[in-house]
Amino acid sequence: MKAYITMLGRSTWAMINAYYAVIMEKKYKPDEIYIFFEDIYQDKLPKAVRALEIISNAFGFSPKIEWRVVKEANFKEARREVEKLLKKLKNKEAEIAIDITSGRKALVAGALVQGVPLKVEHVFYLALADKDIQFANRPYMMIPLHAQKLEDLMEG
């Protein structure tokens, strides 16, 4: 079973594009997706969920999608919630990928502090060079491929 944990922050496109890149470049097709976000981004959730569904369906699979809300900039709550999910997934012997591209600091810190010691398999980050920032709010395939680089921080 493959699980994909992503974070919704200021940029919905950053979250969506990272997911697209993970499927395209790493061929990682999760069975379950978990979206973490701070309460101030609640309004972005429907668009984000729909985008994940559309992309997944286009690649021939349909993961279960759930989400978790934490209070803005609440590092302890973010860490606790991420830890709870990671331990549950590890107990199910899931292969775990975490995408930190669009995450705010509290969620990213919580994911990394918990994920690295638990030896999650992947920590993805889709980088976009500052000189190419004008492409930031576009779909993945409308951004020149040389302008974006998918990193897996768990790879040697």
Side-chain angles (χ1 to χ4, degrees), residues 3-156:
Y4 183 81
I5 298 169
T6 189
M7 297 163 197
L8 178 58
R10 282 187 198 100
S11 173
T12 308
W13 277 117
M15 187 206 79
I16 294 166
N17 288 343
Y19 182 64
Y20 197 104
V22 165
I23 295 171
M24 285 282 296
E25 295 181 32
K26 302 295 184 178
K27 310 297 186 228
Y28 191 88
K29 295 180 179 180
D31 301 291
E32 298 177 359
I33 298 175
Y34 299 89
I35 306 169
F36 278 87
F37 61 95
E38 294 178 344
D39 52 4
I40 60 170
Y41 296 111
Q42 182 90 33
D43 62 319
K44 295 177 180 247
L45 184 64
K47 177 181 175 182
V49 169
R50 186 67 186 126
L52 295 175
E53 290 171 341
I54 290 169
I55 293 167
S56 300
N57 289 336
F59 283 93
F61 67 105
S62 183
K64 178 179 83 172
I65 301 174
E66 295 182 17
W67 50 88
R68 309 280 192 281
V69 184
V70 298
K71 291 182 184 72
E72 182 183 16
N74 189 324
F75 284 80
K76 287 181 181 177
E77 181 185 13
R79 180 179 175 179
R80 188 175 52 249
E81 291 301 314
V82 171
E83 177 183 30
K84 193 180 343 175
L85 176 60
L86 288 174
K87 286 184 174 178
K88 175 182 143 190
L89 292 171
K90 277 292 183 183
N91 286 338
K92 290 171 40 173
E93 298 182 7
E95 179 181 337
I96 302 170
I98 300 174
D99 169 44
I100 61 171
T101 305
S102 182
R104 300 271 307 233
K105 286 178 179 65
L107 285 169
V108 170
L112 294 178
V113 164
Q114 297 303 324
V116 172
L118 288 173
K119 295 182 171 49
V120 299
E121 285 76 11
H122 309 280
V123 175
F124 293 119
Y125 180 77
L126 183 63
L128 187 63
D130 277 349
K131 67 179 179 62
D132 296 313
I133 203 71
Q134 75 268 19
F135 299 120
N137 290 316
R138 294 185 186 179
Y140 176 78
M141 294 305 287
M142 293 181 70
I143 301 171
L145 293 177
H146 71 272
Q148 47 190 336
K149 182 171 170 49
L150 181 63
E151 298 282 353
D152 185 347
L153 305 178
M154 298 305 280
E155 289 179 351

